[in-house]
């Protein structure tokens, strides 16, 4: 009974006698991911334009201040719906386990890339799980506080004091989300061979062996 | 009550371009919006941008100022109650009007330029500066909410610093540790694993 394997995951030879290839993300998951990614980047750019006068020129990317203000919440709705899709796709294998705490307590080995000293990892490691759960929480806070300050449609439902608090919460949460996003992108760049998981849906056997051995073993065992 | 004069310094982005009683004139000049709304933008909503209302009035205003014209409301005002100029000029102008008012018995005449919000972009000469609320509910001693101060102050700087720090740590970590590459041995191990089944 495999616990780390998802529908669509698979292991096979790229060509007869060729290297081992592991299917990690289905086309649906990848499309869902990239809609979320594009909206998140657009939200960060337009949000930063509204956040600080220093970054206001970024509003030029969206056709000026008014359009930036108009578009930002709508992109937020797209992100929220899209992220919900990712959430329900991925949450099961992101549930926290005891080995995740062990993995996390050896952060020094993680950062040094000494993965042999760490417990074998399933489809997601503790760092990925933390990105997943923090993004889930942050996006929930962002959409909620965002509605409160969406004056175009909701101004009459909230007092000015509520909106002031909401805009403060919204900006702090957004800053944290951007930092989490930096960790997410950096990890994908630092751990070479990762990005193909989200572009072609596949990783090499060696990548799976090195970083997600438990996942690979269960995949092979269940084949 | 209606303020006698509205004075507009140009070096700023006016959030309020009209005063009570000038709405009809403004409509004729093509910048009309209900006056109360503008006043609300200035005081209750000081830093919560109110979208097009302010933005449009502002752009209209700035386009005119950019070509050396005064704002449309000033031009259209039949009683010339709206004056437009630098803050210093306008303060001098207001002093002159206030002296005049005082000489006519308005003991509490003064300029509405509340220090609690570091002054306003649009100032009003009031006959009763001690009771600004009687003029379309102008805020008496308005101040900026501490929540807004936190948002526009420490949050902005700490937030941008945090983003910068995370990016910098990424670069540093990569420079020190180098990329985390899959080795040929990893690939062999994966092959052995799949073969073994």
């Amino acid at each position: 009974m495999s616990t780390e394997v998802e529908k669509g995951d698979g292991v096979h030879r790229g060509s007869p006698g060729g290297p081992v290839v592991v299917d990690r993300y289905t086309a649906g998951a990848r499309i869902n991911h990239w809609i979320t990614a594009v909206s998140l980047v657009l939200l960060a750019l337009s949000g930063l334009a509204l956040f600080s006068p220093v970054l206001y020129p970024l509003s030029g990317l969206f056709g000026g201040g008014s359009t930036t203000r108009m578009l930002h919440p709508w992109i937020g709705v797209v992100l929220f719906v899209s992220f919900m899709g990712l959430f329900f796709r991925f949450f099961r294998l992101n549930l926290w386990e005891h080995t995740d705490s062990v993995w996390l307590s050896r952060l020094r080995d993680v950062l040094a890339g000494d993965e042999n000293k760490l417990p074998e990892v399933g489809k997601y490691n503790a760092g990925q799980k933390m990105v997943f759960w923090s993004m889930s929480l942050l996006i929930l806070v962002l959409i909620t506080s965002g509605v409160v300050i969406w004056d175009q449609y909701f101004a009459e439902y909230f007092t000015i004091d509520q909106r002031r608090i909401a805009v403060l919460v919204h900006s702090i949460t957004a800053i944290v989300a951007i930092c989490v996003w930096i960790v997410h992108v950096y990890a994908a760049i630092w751990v070479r061979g990762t990005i193909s998981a989200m572009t072609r849906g596949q990783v090499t056997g060696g990548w799976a062996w090195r970083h997600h051995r438990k996942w690979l073993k269960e995949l092979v065992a269940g084949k | 009550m209606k303020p006698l004069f509205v004075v507009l310094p140009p070096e700023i982005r006016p959030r309020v371009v009209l005063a009570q009683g000038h709405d009809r004139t403004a409509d004729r000049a093509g910048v009309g919006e209900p006056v109360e709304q503008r006043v609300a933008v200035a005081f209750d909503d000081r830093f919560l941008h109110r979208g097009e209302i302010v933005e449009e009035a502002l752009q209209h205003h700035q386009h005119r100022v950019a070509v050396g014209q005064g704002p449309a409301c000033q031009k259209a005002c039949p009683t010339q109650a709206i004056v437009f100029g630098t803050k210093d000029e306008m303060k001098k102008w207001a002093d002159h009007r206030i002296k005049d008012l005082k000489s006519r018995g308005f003991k509490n005449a003064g300029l509405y330029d509340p220090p609690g919000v570091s002054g306003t972009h649009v100032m009003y000469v009031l006959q009763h500066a001690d009771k600004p609320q009687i003029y379309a509910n102008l805020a008496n001693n308005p101040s900026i909410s501490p929540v807004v101060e936190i948002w526009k102050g420490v949050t902005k700087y700490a937030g941008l610093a945090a983003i910068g720090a995370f990016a910098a740590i990424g670069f540093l970590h990569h420079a020190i540790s180098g990329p985390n590459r899959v080795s040929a041995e990893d690939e062999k191990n994966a092959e052995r694993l799949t073969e073994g089944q």
Side-chain angles (χ1 to χ4, degrees), chain B residues 63-131:
Chain B
H63 290 162
R64 290 185 59 91
V65 172
V67 295
Q69 292 178 306
C73 53
Q74 178 205 13
K75 191 181 174 206
C77 184
T79 53
Q80 297 188 340
I82 298 172
V83 194
F84 182 78
T86 66
K87 186 120 184 165
D88 283 343
E89 276 170 23
M90 292 302 100
K91 277 185 169 171
K92 260 181 226 157
W93 171 258
D95 277 346
H96 171 69
R97 302 308 312 174
I98 290 161
K99 263 183 212 135
D100 179 54
L101 279 171
K102 283 189 171 159
S103 76
R104 292 196 275 136
F106 291 100
K107 280 188 307 214
N108 295 315
L111 184 65
Y112 187 77
D113 186 29
V117 292
S118 314
T120 47
H121 297 154
V122 176
M123 301 179 288
Y124 303 92
V125 175
L126 307 178
Q127 302 95 324
H128 306 282
D130 55 329
K131 287 178 281 186

Side-chain angles (χ1 to χ4, degrees), chain A residues 11 13 18-20 48 50-56 65-66 69 110-113 115 149 151-152 155 160-161 163-165 167-168 171-172 175 178-180 182-183 186 189-192 204-207 209-211 213 216-217 220-221 223, chain B residues 13 40 43-46 48-52 55-56 59 143 145 147-148 150-152 155-160 162-164 166-167 169-175 177-183 185-195 197:
Chain A
V11 56
R13 295 269 174 180
V20 178
L48 285 170
L50 301 169
F51 178 58
S52 167
V54 179
L55 300 169
Y56 184 74
S66 310
R69 179 66 182 91
V110 174
L111 291 173
E115 285 166 75
I149 52 175
D151 284 358
Q152 184 73 33
I160 284 166
D161 282 327
R163 279 185 270 162
R164 280 175 180 157
I165 292 165
V167 79
L168 180 62
S171 29
I172 294 172
I175 294 289
I178 291 171
C179 293
V180 173
I182 291 173
V183 171
Y186 175 70
I189 294 169
W190 175 53
V191 181
R192 294 291 201 274
T204 68
W207 185 92
W209 171 268
R210 185 179 177 88
H211 305 299
R213 198 168 299 167
L216 180 67
K217 282 180 175 171
V220 171
K223 201 166 74 161
Chain B
R13 311 196 308 181
F43 294 104
D44 296 340
D45 230 351
R46 194 170 155 88
L48 282 176
H49 306 292
R50 253 279 160 91
E52 307 97 296
E55 197 77 27
E56 263 171 34
Q59 279 170 7
S143 61
S145 153
V147 181
V148 173
I150 295 169
W151 173 44
K152 280 287 163 191
T155 308
K156 189 167 66 182
Y157 300 110
L160 294 177
I163 293 174
F166 268 75
I169 289 168
F171 277 108
L172 269 177
H173 179 258
H174 205 282
S177 303
N180 185 343
R181 281 186 211 281
V182 176
S183 64
E185 204 192 322
D186 290 324
E187 296 291 359
K188 260 195 210 112
N189 280 326
E191 271 175 45
R192 255 181 243 133
L193 180 72
T194 48
E195 292 304 308
Q197 296 303 310

Side-chain angles (χ1 to χ4, degrees), chain A residues 86-160:
Chain A
L86 289 183
F87 182 87
F88 288 110
R89 276 174 205 280
F90 297 155
F91 87 92
R92 189 177 68 84
L93 291 187
N94 275 286
L95 294 172
W96 199 261
E97 286 167 28
H98 175 68
T99 46
D100 292 316
S101 307
V102 178
W103 190 92
L104 201 63
S105 68
R106 298 188 197 154
L107 200 62
R108 186 181 292 267
D109 293 329
V110 174
L111 291 173
D114 288 340
E115 285 166 75
N116 282 325
K117 298 181 187 166
L118 299 166
E120 289 187 0
V121 171
K123 184 153 179 175
Y124 299 108
N125 64 40
Q128 292 167 309
K129 289 181 181 181
M130 283 168 68
V131 167
F132 175 84
W133 289 110
S134 48
M135 273 302 184
S136 305
L137 183 69
L138 292 165
I139 287 170
L140 198 61
V141 175
L142 283 167
I143 190 85
T144 312
S145 56
V147 164
V148 178
I149 52 175
W150 198 351
D151 284 358
Q152 184 73 33
Y153 305 109
F154 302 103
E156 56 189 289
Y157 301 107
F158 304 102
T159 67
I160 284 166

